[in-house]
Amino acid sequence: MKILVDTHTHTIASDHAYSTVLENAAAAARAGLEALAVTDHTPPLTDAPRMSHFRNLRVLDRVIDGVTILRGAELNICDARGGLGVADSDLSDMDLCIASIHTVVYGSPDPAENLRAYQGAMEDARVKIIGHPEDGRAPVDFFALARAARDAGVLIEVNNSSLRPISYRQNTRENMTALLRACEACGAHICLGTDAHFAPAVGRFDESLSLLEELHFPEELVANTSLEKFLDFIRRRS
């Protein structure tokens, strides 16, 4: 299986990342990607850029080094209702948004509360992807989450950064295994994102692909094996 769209990357606009858009695009070209999503963090995460960063993403060339650039943002799920803390007008030019629980902003030890938060976030049509839901610090019923994503037409992310040995997230491989089995069982689609915070990680899906191969996960449920397939999926929620 070949992944041709990296759906989750960060630039130096997020204070804890270390590469520019141009550096990430060059890395994407070297990796043979068709497209790269630029998805920096939004407030209220403290090291996120100001919202003017996202309003101005229209200045980015649509193609850099032969790679299509998708304008995006990683939103914070801010409360148990799934509030995202960002006005619609600030994201009007986005191609996609990821909604993620970051425990420094919100996260409950109660799986039912986290499920309600994810469901609330998925009610927002801007949200195309649920980011790194395998983090054990914010537990959730994976079968219920997979069914909710399927019904909403939202992608579940397989986050390569979470599966790397250096990850600070908890129980990620075990949890991602359970989540992938739930997605397969109910027919929920997934996408692979690197969550790259440094250009050499862009387009590197080794850990994610290894897990998918181990589980014999069906390729037809993977949305970003081509740019055309990915865009067709996310545009259904427009």
Side-chain angles (χ1 to χ4, degrees):
M1 187 186 308
K2 182 71 172 176
I3 303 301
L4 295 179
V5 182
D6 194 338
T7 58
H8 187 168
T9 68
H10 297 277
T11 74
I12 55 173
S14 298
D15 286 352
H16 59 296
Y18 303 97
S19 301
T20 66
V21 173
L22 290 177
E23 289 166 339
N24 284 354
R30 290 193 296 271
L33 297 185
E34 293 180 343
L36 172 73
V38 179
T39 53
D40 281 301
H41 294 284
T42 59
L45 206 65
T46 55
D47 54 359
R50 293 178 297 177
M51 290 310 302
S52 57
H53 165 84
F54 300 95
R55 291 192 292 269
N56 201 44
L57 282 176
R58 62 183 179 273
V59 306
L60 294 182
D61 290 347
R62 270 303 187 180
V63 179
I64 301 174
D65 291 343
V67 176
T68 296
I69 303 299
L70 300 175
R71 302 162 182 161
E74 184 179 10
L75 310 179
N76 302 281
I77 295 175
C78 296
D79 54 50
R81 299 182 303 278
L84 299 170
V86 176
D88 288 348
S89 58
D90 287 326
L91 299 172
S92 58
D93 290 333
M94 297 296 98
D95 297 309
L96 71 147
C97 290
I98 303 168
S100 303
I101 288 179
H102 296 106
T103 55
V104 295
V105 175
Y106 162 81
S108 171
D110 180 4
E113 182 177 322
N114 291 326
L115 177 63
R116 290 193 296 273
Y118 281 125
Q119 289 171 321
M122 285 188 275
E123 291 177 4
D124 193 315
R126 299 173 296 177
V127 173
K128 314 298 186 184
I129 300 168
I130 293 296
H132 49 72
E134 78 295 322
D135 188 348
R137 297 174 302 169
V140 67
D141 181 322
F142 292 132
F143 275 94
L145 178 63
R147 288 192 295 268
R150 177 201 62 195
D151 294 345
V154 172
L155 295 165
I156 294 288
E157 178 185 73
V158 179
N159 187 294
N160 200 74
S161 179
S162 293
L163 294 171
R164 296 179 66 192
I166 62 172
S167 177
Y168 58 86
R169 298 175 186 134
Q170 294 180 1
N171 304 321
T172 53
R173 186 176 178 86
E174 176 185 353
N175 289 343
M176 185 52 70
T177 296
L179 181 52
L180 284 168
R181 286 175 172 152
C183 288
E184 181 177 7
C186 74
H189 283 72
I190 68 167
C191 63
L192 278 62
T194 61
D195 199 1
H197 286 64
F198 185 41
V202 171
R204 295 179 62 178
F205 303 99
D206 296 356
E207 287 81 4
S208 299
L209 288 172
S210 176
L211 182 57
L212 264 61
E213 182 177 354
E214 177 184 319
L215 298 176
H216 304 288
F217 192 84
E219 185 172 341
E220 59 265 26
L221 291 178
V222 182
N224 56 329
T225 53
S226 75
L227 176 58
E228 180 181 11
K229 183 178 181 181
F230 180 70
L231 291 178
D232 178 66
F233 190 95
I234 66 171
R235 284 170 177 166
R236 297 174 195 173
R237 279 178 59 81
S238 299

